[in-house]
Amino acid sequence: MIRCIVVLSAIFSLIFTQDDVVEDTQFATCQINSTEVQTTANATVKRQLKGVCTYKQIELKFQELEEKLLAELGIIKQLLEGDGKTVRTNDYYDYEERSLKIGGPVSTTDDPITSVTEQVFHTSSWVRTEIDHLNNTIHVHKGEKLFVYYWEIPEIDSILPKNGVHIRSADFYVLGHQLCLQLYPNHLPDYLAIQLRPSSNFFKKHKFAILDHFDGSTDIVSQVFGGVGSYEALYKVPYAKLQERNYLHDDKLVIKLTIFLNS
Ligand SMILES: *[C@@H]1O[C@H](CO)[C@@H](O)[C@H](O)[C@H]1NC(C)=O
Ligand SMILES: *[C@@H]1O[C@H](CO)[C@@H](O)[C@H](O)[C@H]1NC(C)=O
Ligand SMILES: *[C@@H]1O[C@H](CO)[C@@H](O)[C@H](O)[C@H]1NC(C)=O
């Protein structure tokens, strides 16, 4: 059996503002240790309660938050324990995809709170955890054998305005082939382009993603490239798109390459 230690620490803070608006911000850090899986999730929950709040209602909200957190931990535990089967490190991938979204409006029975808005942010350590688990590895996901590589490009703000240059990733090796990624700033005006460059014939389907540092569900994902002789294909992304969410956070761009090894 897998031994699993789950540590949950949560910090709650309540801020009373004008007009009977109450904000509560909650930081939750959840660390799971098992013999085969280690991961850390850090989420910030910020919700705004509008309307008249009594102490009793606030207590109720806290109870609901607690229940939700416990329910999420239940899901994590289930994933770790499976049906008594061994958990492979690859299972992390599914776990990550589920994403700790706290859903649904709270129940309003006997409750004068008129509206609740709730946002959940993951800190960028989420992306870091994904990189630490999957970078430069081969794993099976939904029956597909995948190679995954992450390229982090620092000081991206000073790179994007450049013209007539390209940037190369470090070389990496897949099935004995030497590959690298290239980034072309201003390939078209205000478009960057990404390309997979094998040093020898290597005809596998592949796709790129530009990671949102905070929310894996909003990564910019390319179409699937590949097939014989199609390596000239460049994936072009407009700069405007990169501004839409947290793709350039901390002056870093993170590109994920996925190669479909069975293709
Ligand atoms: C979980 O494992 C990490 C790394 O081995 C260790 O630093 C940490 O103290 C462990 N946490 C618990 C609660 O055992
Ligand atoms: C989690 O995020 C909070 C708020 O950003 C931060 O204070 C805390 O240090 C983070 N904890 C970990 C384990 O990353
Ligand atoms: C992924 O792994 C390769 C090889 O170990 C390393 O050169 C590269 O920096 C790693 N990528 C990230 C984003 O850490």
Side-chain angles (χ1 to χ4, degrees), residues 27 29 40 42 44 123 125:
F27 301 106
T29 308
T40 312
N42 197 355
T44 309
T123 67
S125 68

Side-chain angles (χ1 to χ4, degrees), residues 50-64:
K50 284 187 183 149
V52 186
C53 281
T54 64
Y55 244 101
K56 191 157 167 273
Q57 285 147 11
I58 291 165
E59 207 174 289
L60 199 76
K61 294 296 153 202
F62 276 137
Q63 273 169 18
E64 283 173 2

Side-chain angles (χ1 to χ4, degrees), residues 3 5-7 31-34 37-38:
R3 256 190 42 237
I5 308 161
V6 174
V7 185
Q31 191 179 62
I32 300 152
N33 275 20
S34 78
V37 177
Q38 280 184 19

Side-chain angles (χ1 to χ4, degrees), residues 15-23 48-53 113-114:
I15 305 152
F16 286 84
T17 59
Q18 291 167 349
D19 308 325
D20 290 333
V21 173
V22 176
E23 274 188 3
Q48 203 177 56
L49 312 175
K50 284 187 183 149
V52 186
C53 281
I113 289 172
T114 50

Side-chain angles (χ1 to χ4, degrees), residues 128 131 135-136 149-152 170 254:
R128 199 61 242 178
I131 293 172
N135 185 25
N136 214 11
Y149 183 85
Y150 295 82
W151 182 23
E152 184 177 281
V254 183

Side-chain angles (χ1 to χ4, degrees), residues 159-174:
I159 292 169
L160 291 182
K162 290 189 175 157
N163 270 308
V165 296
H166 71 262
I167 297 173
R168 265 180 75 113
S169 74
D171 290 330
F172 49 94
Y173 296 85
V174 182

Side-chain angles (χ1 to χ4, degrees), residues 171-186:
D171 290 330
F172 49 94
Y173 296 85
V174 182
L175 306 176
H177 294 265
Q178 179 185 318
L179 310 174
C180 77
L181 290 169
Q182 289 191 354
L183 178 106
Y184 303 83
N186 278 312

